[in-house]
Amino acid sequence: MRPTGRPHRTLIGAAVLALALAACGGGDDGGTAAGENGGLVRASWGEPQNELEPANTNEVQGGKVLDMTFRGLKRYNPETAEAEDAVAESIETDDQQTFTITLREGWTFHDGTPVTADSFVNAWNYGANIENAQIGSYFFEFIRGYEDVHPTEEGEEPTAETMSGLEVIDDRTFTVTLNEPFSLWPETLGYSAYAPLPDAFFEDREAWLRQPIGNGPYRIDTYNPGQGMTLLPFEEYAGDDGARNDGVELIVYTDNSTAYTDLQAGNLDVIDDIPAAQLRNAEQDLDGRYINEPAGIIQTVSFPLYAEAWQGGDAATIRRGLSMAINREEITERIFQGTRTPATDFTSPVLGEEGGYDEDLCGEVCEYDPERARELIEEAGGLPGGTVTLSSNVDAGSHRQWMDAACNSINNALGDTGACTVTPVPTFADYRNRITGREMTGMFRTGWQMDYPLIQNFLQPIFYSTGSSNDSGYDNPDFDELVDRANRADDEEEAVDLFREAEELLVEDLPAIPLWYQNGIAGYSERVDNVTLNPFSVPVYTEITVN
Amino acid sequence: MGRYVVRRLLQMIPVFIGATLLVFLMMYALPGDPVRALWGERSVDEAQIAAMKADLGLDLPLWHQYLNYLLGLLQGDFGTQIASGRPVIDVITSALPATLRLTALAFLITVVLGVGLGVIAGLRRGGKTDRMILFVTLLFISVPVFVIGYLYQVFFAHNLGWARPTVQDPTAWSQLILPAMVLSSLSLAYVARLTRTSVAENKRADYMRTARAKGLTGRRAVSVHLMRNSLIPVVTFLGVDIGNLMAGAIVTEGIFNVNGIGSAVYRALSYREGATVVGIVTFMILVYLVVTLLVDLLYAVLDPRIRYA
């Protein structure tokens, strides 16, 4: 044993610890308050899940930034959802398969370099290549040569660097050849995955990611991951939808009720998510500065058509009965406080009549009629096995509550308290695994958020026999044929009509029953005006004015 | 002393490995596949999922993944986020300053107010002030921190307008005062009560009578003799409390929107970013281990009778 030296007399241990920790906390005290920022619009934000590359963003928070910092060939009109030319001067085709794209003059990136045909072709080739692990790669699957840069079999290596369907003619012209005719393809080009990328991206990706350079109405001024981002208007912006404010400050909120508190306290100007508990009072609290309108999101309940019990004509009748047994009006009002709108077709009201939305398509099948529902189900020999389950992940979005309500509604209609039972799955990831593994036996929730405001996007991926998200295993050759014909159609109107015809088959077969459209909600402060939501329920930041 | 420290440091290794292994296993046991979940409701090509997994080493057996993780840690590599591709260490270092500031401020409040109130109460045991302090601290202990948080927010920010309801700039100390008050309320109450008991007991000790008898002033007897003896249990508590404060900051950070470790871990959990969760928890474990060692060493400073060898 070795004696230790006698310690200092007057040390008070705790104080030492406190000082040591305070020192770790960093010395830069105050001074940098972000308070007075003049005409900046302060908006709530969430940390984007993925890097802010155009083809690697599939969630709304990253999408907000891309919408401000990038412009593609087309842009969706925030009001009408129509695809209008942005960087594109013209997109021409004779056969609905090969498109010649001409760019407008005068577009530049935030670093001053011009937007050329190469900016698009390089960006698309980058986005499609499997080696770049871009989540939105599938947007390029229509382009010829996609399989060569993005093989579908596990473990396969890409056999090419670039897609053969893309060809640069000159600085302002390039051609795109698709795998098969797709008449509405030009209308998809407003999606952010198709944005151009500057040379700076390919020269030094790491540096670019720290401060992305685009060609949109705003340029990124500062970006602190996990904290926020400041965007300032891009002076040389060539589009006609330039910023009407002095910039936007996006502030990261982990909890939407905190953002709501800040909005009420005047520390925040725009929020696009209102906590469920506050919805009832939001309209009043915010004195009408509240938006609640249908967005491009539809919730449906799908059936496992791959299971024997759900095949055949009787099963279709049962599905029809189940659809009529759900009281959509009451559930959207009581549980969602009016932030869902009962669905009457398989698309979304944001498409508009011309785009293929049909208010009466589903007709009585989507209307609540408990007696008829009971008749139909009894007529068809009752529920398979006497009961039916309803399943969803329950880690978000009040799924547990509406499932209980929907099952109650069915049970009441059938006069049997055990007819419908809820099977909750704890996490979304697990739930999707079960669906893609085709393990479902009863009804299961399926939601679809559109990639672009086109009727094609609501039908083909979900109900085409080989559709990428055909969770129910629906396979109807007539439906497929109508979709094929629609894609070959000469003009947009004809295409939309054919898609609508295909959609009518869905009402007959009911591989899924439409529940409701999800609404976009937003609230804003007295300090700002002209707050609107675009078809993707993202605030149109460029239009917002500061008083 | 040196040997003692070395031995303690060596003892940390199994604790560290065991704790990281547990968290690692728990993250792994969660159902679902975080890579697949990136695509949401869309079915995706298996090729890309496989490629991403191979890239991140998520296709290896669990023991191998853990081994890779440990080996990476030894080289200061906390892993990479699945979705964003950001190194986890970046996530931690960008979130840490806010949490450290908040914790430091809360700790300071705990020490100054807690010990101060405790000494006052202890010296006047049974008096009005004492009873008052006991009542207030009882309140702090029994009301959950999120209730206190929202109450303070409504009262100080909305009704009185003295502070902002949320933290907009975590580098501004003035904005952190309100959340720090909330965060420290529970520890403050414990520290005050602990100090009070200790002081009240030691006040009657023989050495205090001796100190007075040899002519020391009351102030000197209290600040040197009484305090030093009374602080030992308090210091133990404070040491462990640093870890608790950092962990407790998760709730407080949520209420006041401080984008620190708490919100980072919350996000990571909801996205199932295993490496990030394990990384942050590992970091917390390290803080706990180091602080408990420091506390043990401080005993010797406070009480010369304690020796380490």
Side-chain angles (χ1 to χ4, degrees), chain B residues 201-222:
Chain B
E201 228 165 67
N202 286 331
K203 211 173 71 169
R204 289 169 304 182
D206 290 346
Y207 64 85
M208 280 300 284
R209 208 174 330 133
T210 313
R212 301 264 183 144
K214 71 182 184 188
L216 287 185
T217 57
R219 174 181 290 262
R220 191 158 170 77
V222 168

Side-chain angles (χ1 to χ4, degrees), chain B:
Chain B
M1 177 95 156
R3 262 168 65 193
Y4 174 76
V5 174
V6 170
R7 206 175 67 215
R8 282 292 300 268
L9 285 174
L10 286 177
Q11 279 171 359
M12 281 184 191
I13 295 173
V15 176
F16 180 76
I17 292 182
T20 47
L21 180 64
L22 267 182
V23 185
F24 201 87
L25 288 177
M26 280 191 256
M27 282 312 290
Y28 193 85
L30 285 179
D33 181 339
V35 179
R36 190 180 290 269
L38 288 180
W39 278 268
E41 319 245 293
R42 290 180 173 76
S43 308
V44 274
D45 42 333
E46 299 297 323
Q48 183 149 3
I49 293 181
M52 280 180 82
K53 280 188 174 172
D55 227 30
L56 292 161
L58 292 175
D59 54 341
L60 302 170
L62 181 58
W63 65 267
H64 202 156
Q65 283 186 38
Y66 182 65
L67 194 71
N68 282 351
Y69 185 76
L70 274 189
L71 289 176
L73 271 189
L74 288 180
Q75 298 155 24
D77 175 11
F78 275 73
T80 312
Q81 286 205 313
I82 298 168
S84 71
R86 276 175 81 195
V88 173
I89 190 78
D90 271 12
V91 178
I92 296 181
T93 47
S94 73
L96 197 57
T99 303
L100 278 184
R101 276 197 196 90
L102 180 61
T103 314
L105 202 56
F107 190 75
L108 202 71
I109 296 177
T110 307
V111 171
V112 173
L113 274 182
V115 173
L117 289 175
V119 170
I120 293 171
L123 290 176
R124 303 179 185 172
R125 193 164 76 147
K128 239 185 211 160
T129 333
D130 178 33
R131 261 178 281 162
M132 189 57 191
I133 290 172
L134 277 180
F135 176 73
V136 172
T137 50
L138 182 69
L139 255 178
F140 278 152
I141 290 172
S142 41
V143 181
V145 69
F146 60 88
V147 175
I148 298 183
Y150 286 118
L151 278 179
Y152 277 23
Q153 211 172 38
V154 169
F155 188 67
F156 289 111
H158 283 293
N159 294 1
L160 294 176
W162 289 355
R164 312 173 74 114
T166 61
V167 177
Q168 305 248 309
D169 176 13
T171 57
W173 289 99
S174 59
Q175 294 189 16
L176 286 174
I177 291 177
L178 195 60
M181 274 167 60
V182 174
L183 180 57
S184 62
S185 57
L186 183 66
S187 335
L188 185 155
Y190 274 123
V191 168
R193 287 176 154 244
L194 214 58
T195 316
R196 172 190 173 273
T197 318
S198 197
V199 165
E201 228 165 67
N202 286 331
K203 211 173 71 169
R204 289 169 304 182
D206 290 346
Y207 64 85
M208 280 300 284
R209 208 174 330 133
T210 313
R212 301 264 183 144
K214 71 182 184 188
L216 287 185
T217 57
R219 174 181 290 262
R220 191 158 170 77
V222 168
S223 64
V224 178
H225 295 258
L226 180 66
M227 286 288 275
R228 194 146 141 200
N229 282 289
S230 308
L231 276 182
I232 292 179
V234 180
V235 168
T236 322
F237 179 81
L238 284 173
V240 182
D241 203 46
I242 290 182
N244 284 342
L245 282 176
M246 287 189 81
I250 291 177
V251 177
T252 317
E253 281 178 11
I255 298 172
F256 292 95
N257 199 42
V258 181
N259 289 312
I261 288 286
S263 52
V265 101
Y266 176 83
R267 266 199 302 272
L269 273 172
S270 57
Y271 292 153
R272 295 239 8 236
E273 289 281 2
T276 315
V277 176
V278 182
I280 292 177
V281 176
T282 305
F283 176 80
M284 300 281 236
I285 292 169
L286 280 174
V287 171
Y288 256 105
L289 288 174
V290 170
V291 169
T292 29
L293 176 63
L294 281 179
V295 169
D296 286 351
L297 293 179
L298 264 176
Y299 284 158
V301 178
L302 287 168
D303 186 347
R305 284 169 302 183
I306 299 173
R307 296 253 196 283
Y308 296 120

